[in-house]
Amino acid sequence: MNVFYSILGIFLGLLTNFVYGSLLPEEVAVIATAGSEDSLNIARFYVTSRKIPPRNVFLLPKKYPETISREVWNREIRPELKGWLKTRPTVRCLVCCWDVPLRIGGYPNDAVQVAGRIRFLEQKRKEALHKIGRILQTMDAIAPTDESRKAASERSLPDNLSTVAAAKMLEGELRNVQKRMAAIPKEERTASMRTLQNALQAAGGLRGFYSILEQRRKSNDPLTQQAAFVRQLDLLKTTLQARMSALRSLERLPESTSRDGEMLRILEICTGVVGTLQWMDGQMEMTRKNESAASFDSELSMIGEEETPLIRWLPNYLSFRTQEFLSSGKWEEKKEEKNRSSSEMLLPGLEEIAPGTIPKPLYPVMMVARLEAPTVDCVLQRIQEMLATEQVGLEGAIYLDARNPRPGGTPAMGSYEKMDQSLHDLAARLKEHTSLEVHLDAEGGLFQKKDCPSQAALYCGWYSLGKYVDAIRFAPGAVAYHTASMEAESLKSGTLWCPQLLQHGAAVTLGPVFEPYLSAFPEPDEFYSLVLTGKYTMVECYYLTKPFNSWAMTFVGDPLYTPYKRNPALKLEDLPETLKTFLKIP
């Protein structure tokens, strides 16, 4: 995954100047199940209530189980829905209504995408280690001594040698070569230097060679100021960009041995044999975990793509953090406009876009919501409450249930400390910039009824896996989510937090249908801050702040619901700084 992001962040192509306006009813389509009268009734009620065009209703031909196989998704559902959406190009959001599948199963562990791919990568890894052995032999032969010849004869690289150990062996031998070369006459070093340069390029690729030349340039070596050196550096950079752009395209194709073989060929050119080892290690680790399952809704988010990798999650390209990462780029050297590469011109004209407007993502993303709850009557009641609340504005207290006092420093993304920090940051933001009643618990336990005297408009807390705690009275139209694993494994039964929040009065929630890792959740300070501005619909707030698609999360509620449209509680200029920067808020 790190290799994927590094490739993606450097070479991106040109974005258009289009932006997303606020989601409109005619941009919403509804998915219902032909074999379920409950599904059809909810769809009819929602379409009528929100004045969604009747032609924007897609019917699954039959009732499917809650979990469908990847084969059923690929063969029966995805092609039909994708073809239908091509006739409705303005649709940006899909709503799944009751009895639409909840999960898509992953590949079996013995599938060619898993077992076959691991066998292929294991063989390629052995070949890469043999190449490192040959590079070391080449380095051993540079300005050899009796000691280096003896070391070379005793050198052996086991097939299970770690990438870190292999890199250390190369680094150690490089130091030895430099010492040996320093001991030979200067006039004999030219040929040795050329051999060493070739060996280093084989180990580190064009990227490693480019880094060496860049370091020389920054050292003010007079040679680097010559026109020939500058041309060489520019040519190397252009070549590297083109190759990495090809890698980015390959990375977005489904996993296969043919794709992996081509990726390894280009990776070796760009990052050397050490880079291929690092990439293969990461791919084999992910493939062995086989996290190819997904929530149905999260996979729907990728419906606009032709084909995508499936072995693990993919970035959500509507997320402000993903777009922020992409727009930052890695080639920061500025040139004259006519000489700037497409990656340096990633977001042309965004300064002219109205503040607060959401930029269009680099790749198509379909926003997806779900209308479901423990009972059909509960679903219909929550829809009515959202419609009514939107007309007058959501009122009520804010309940935030942290686990610990605010951590110091800068916690890592996706860590427990980061979640606690976000809850504390949200509480501080609301106390400073709003008059809302804010309750923050940081004592380790969960809220109890005695701790919650007022009706709640918003709630966020963690943990208590699969054991809902009935402590809060929710105002009509309330928004609430609980950060814990598998809390949307079912939306119709059990003590899980998602169905119980809906049953106890929350109109909107979100959660995972299987273990998502903490990093899959929107951060509460970002998500709820956007909600409180009243500028964005609920589904836009969700997609702006959730990190991944083709993964575990599902969002439950009316996507068009904007609870603070009538009474914004937070100004755009009081959003978190990261969001302000992304949305061009002065």
Side-chain angles (χ1 to χ4, degrees):
M1 189 58 63
N2 289 337
V3 172
F4 171 74
Y5 273 111
S6 65
I7 292 169
L8 196 57
I10 299 175
F11 306 102
L12 293 167
L14 191 64
L15 275 180
T16 62
N17 284 330
F18 299 134
V19 295
Y20 275 174
S22 187
L23 186 66
L24 302 173
E26 55 265 31
E27 296 174 313
V28 175
V30 173
I31 301 176
T33 298
S36 168
E37 195 60 34
D38 290 333
S39 181
L40 294 172
N41 286 338
I42 291 172
R44 291 190 196 103
F45 181 78
Y46 181 68
V47 165
T48 302
S49 300
R50 279 296 190 185
K51 296 181 172 56
I52 293 169
R55 71 184 296 270
N56 283 10
V57 177
F58 177 86
L59 294 182
L60 295 175
K62 62 182 181 182
K63 185 175 179 179
Y64 290 94
E66 200 169 51
T67 301
I68 61 172
S69 68
R70 180 65 63 176
E71 182 183 6
V72 167
W73 164 254
N74 287 333
R75 187 185 68 245
E76 298 180 20
I77 298 178
R78 186 177 185 272
E80 292 297 319
L81 180 56
K82 189 173 180 65
W84 182 82
L85 284 169
K86 285 182 178 179
T87 67
R88 293 154 176 81
T90 60
V91 169
R92 295 167 47 205
C93 177
L94 297 173
V95 183
C96 299
C97 293
W98 188 275
D99 281 343
V100 172
L102 186 61
R103 281 177 296 274
I104 300 174
Y107 296 129
N109 285 334
D110 59 356
V112 65
Q113 294 92 339
V114 181
R117 188 171 188 241
I118 290 173
R119 287 193 299 269
F120 173 81
L121 291 173
E122 285 176 338
Q123 179 58 38
K124 289 296 181 182
R125 194 182 191 283
K126 291 178 182 178
E127 294 173 11
L129 285 173
H130 290 321
K131 288 180 182 178
I132 287 182
R134 291 198 295 272
I135 293 170
L136 288 167
Q137 289 174 350
T138 299
M139 296 171 73
D140 287 332
I142 298 174
T145 63
D146 291 342
E147 184 180 353
S148 70
R149 292 189 184 96
K150 182 177 183 296
S153 66
E154 296 174 353
R155 193 186 302 282
S156 176
L157 272 66
D159 288 341
N160 63 350
L161 184 70
S162 72
T163 299
V164 172
K168 285 183 177 179
M169 291 179 73
L170 287 166
E171 292 170 3
E173 185 55 29
L174 174 59
R175 288 192 292 270
N176 292 334
V177 170
Q178 289 172 330
K179 291 178 182 177
R180 296 199 303 267
M181 287 177 61
I184 63 176
K186 188 174 183 179
E187 60 272 13
E188 296 179 15
R189 294 177 192 170
T190 303
S192 296
M193 184 64 74
R194 189 176 299 112
T195 301
L196 179 59
Q197 179 177 300
N198 291 337
L200 292 177
Q201 186 167 328
L206 294 178
R207 180 186 284 174
F209 189 44
Y210 180 87
S211 297
I212 292 171
L213 295 182
E214 268 284 273
Q215 289 174 4
R216 286 188 63 188
R217 185 182 65 81
K218 292 177 180 179
S219 70
N220 294 321
D221 182 343
L223 179 63
T224 65
Q225 310 306 313
Q226 296 180 9
F229 184 92
V230 173
R231 283 197 301 271
Q232 182 185 21
L233 196 62
D234 284 345
L235 178 61
L236 184 58
K237 179 176 175 179
T238 300
T239 303
L240 185 55
Q241 284 179 322
R243 299 284 187 176
M244 298 291 277
S245 181
L247 277 175
R248 179 172 61 84
S249 298
L250 286 168
E251 185 81 49
R252 295 186 56 73
L253 296 176
E255 298 88 349
S256 69
T257 55
S258 59
R259 184 209 75 157
D260 290 349
E262 182 62 12
M263 284 201 67
L264 287 169
R265 184 185 70 80
I266 301 175
L267 266 171
E268 188 166 347
I269 295 171
C270 294
T271 65
V273 66
V274 174
T276 67
L277 279 174
Q278 291 173 332
W279 184 81
M280 286 187 283
D281 287 348
Q283 292 298 305
M284 283 192 286
E285 180 183 357
M286 286 191 293
T287 305
R288 288 190 177 102
K289 285 184 178 180
N290 187 15
E291 295 171 321
S292 54
S295 78
F296 186 87
D297 303 357
S298 190
E299 201 65 61
L300 274 179
S301 294
M302 309 297 295
I303 194 76
E305 299 266 23
E306 288 304 317
E307 293 182 287
T308 57
L310 294 172
I311 207 66
R312 209 182 196 190
W313 62 67
L314 292 173
N316 166 27
Y317 289 97
L318 258 178
S319 160
F320 89 92
R321 288 197 179 276
T322 301
Q323 296 203 45
E324 179 185 55
F325 179 87
L326 297 179
S327 64
S328 67
K330 296 297 180 184
W331 297 102
E332 298 178 352
E333 179 182 327
K334 299 304 179 184
K335 299 182 178 181
E336 295 298 322
E337 187 71 23
K338 63 180 180 181
N339 292 326
R340 291 174 68 193
S341 69
S342 60
S343 61
E344 291 169 330
M345 299 171 65
L346 179 62
L347 297 176
L350 278 192
E351 292 76 10
E352 287 75 46
I353 292 175
T357 308
I358 304 171
K360 184 177 180 179
L362 178 63
Y363 297 106
V365 176
M366 183 68 68
M367 295 181 287
V368 183
R370 178 170 289 262
L371 296 175
E372 201 162 350
T375 67
V376 172
D377 287 343
C378 183
V379 177
L380 298 174
Q381 182 179 347
R382 298 295 171 261
I383 294 172
Q384 290 173 319
E385 289 170 353
M386 285 183 277
L387 292 168
T389 299
E390 195 171 73
Q391 298 306 308
V392 297
L394 180 58
E395 298 286 347
I398 316 298
Y399 286 93
L400 304 174
D401 202 347
R403 308 297 293 143
N404 298 286
R406 190 186 191 282
T410 305
M413 299 296 294
S415 66
Y416 292 162
E417 293 80 7
K418 183 63 173 174
M419 175 58 67
D420 267 333
Q421 183 187 72
S422 187
L423 288 164
H424 282 274
D425 286 350
L426 176 59
R429 188 177 314 284
L430 300 187
K431 289 177 180 178
E432 180 179 357
H433 298 293
T434 77
S435 58
L436 296 169
E437 178 186 341
V438 179
H439 298 266
L440 172 67
D441 173 48
E443 297 302 317
L446 294 172
F447 279 126
Q448 303 299 312
K449 282 190 175 180
K450 63 181 176 61
D451 306 316
C452 309
S454 305
Q455 275 196 327
L458 308 179
Y459 162 81
C460 187
W462 67 311
Y463 189 64
S464 182
L465 175 61
K467 296 179 181 179
Y468 177 75
V469 178
D470 181 14
I472 298 174
R473 293 180 300 116
F474 290 104
V479 182
Y481 76 92
H482 190 79
T483 305
S485 303
M486 301 172 286
E487 298 303 333
E489 190 173 39
S490 173
L491 294 171
K492 296 177 180 176
S493 62
T495 59
L496 300 168
W497 280 82
C498 282
Q500 287 299 316
L501 284 168
L502 295 164
Q503 183 68 42
H504 284 81
V508 175
T509 192
L510 59 93
V513 302
F514 54 82
E515 172 57 61
Y517 308 121
L518 188 57
S519 57
F521 285 84
E523 288 192 19
D525 187 31
E526 296 166 354
F527 173 74
Y528 279 119
S529 291
L530 285 172
V531 171
L532 286 159
T533 66
K535 184 174 178 61
Y536 308 98
T537 63
M538 285 303 313
V539 78
E540 288 170 321
C541 296
Y542 175 59
Y543 271 83
L544 271 172
T545 56
K546 76 159 184 145
F548 309 131
N549 284 329
S550 191
W551 192 227
M553 301 296 289
T554 191
F555 172 86
V556 184
D558 176 3
L560 291 164
Y561 181 42
T562 313
Y564 290 91
K565 181 188 293 184
R566 298 286 181 184
N567 57 344
L570 193 69
K571 296 177 181 178
L572 286 173
E573 53 264 36
D574 295 327
L575 286 170
E577 288 300 320
T578 49
L579 279 169
K580 284 175 60 178
T581 300
F582 173 72
L583 294 168
K584 308 297 180 185
I585 308 298

